[in-house]
Amino acid sequence: MASFVDERAPWERLKNESSKAYEAFCVYRDQGIDRSITKTSQELNKNRTTIGEWSSKFEWVKRAAAWDDE
């Protein structure tokens, strides 16, 4: 039985990530060293709780760190 290896970079859209969640991640990611959930929610005019849930579910901190390292 062959296993499928996902070749995508961590900062690319995940298979189970909605387009809205990915858009929010990109805003978060592109904020650089001063990035925050609060700033992302303000910039997108979205509920901070929703942004926080997406951040946890889709591992934004880890993915943004990979972006920074690249």
Side-chain angles (χ1 to χ4, degrees):
M1 179 197 253
S3 64
F4 176 76
V5 177
D6 193 345
E7 298 291 330
R8 285 182 279 205
W11 53 83
E12 293 180 27
R13 185 174 171 192
L14 303 176
K15 287 182 182 183
N16 62 337
E17 188 172 30
S18 70
S19 60
K20 288 185 181 201
Y22 182 67
E23 174 191 10
F25 166 69
C26 290
V27 169
Y28 173 81
R29 178 197 69 197
D30 294 348
Q31 290 171 359
I33 195 162
D34 295 324
R35 64 177 60 98
S36 76
I37 299 304
T38 299
K39 283 172 51 176
T40 303
S41 66
Q42 290 170 344
E43 186 171 334
L44 294 172
N45 196 29
K46 295 225 180 258
N47 184 292
R48 191 198 178 289
T49 301
T50 299
I51 298 298
E53 289 171 353
W54 286 343
S55 174
S56 294
K57 181 176 182 179
F58 300 116
E59 300 182 317
W60 287 6
V61 173
K62 178 180 170 184
R63 292 166 67 199
W67 172 265
D68 292 342
D69 290 345
E70 185 65 21

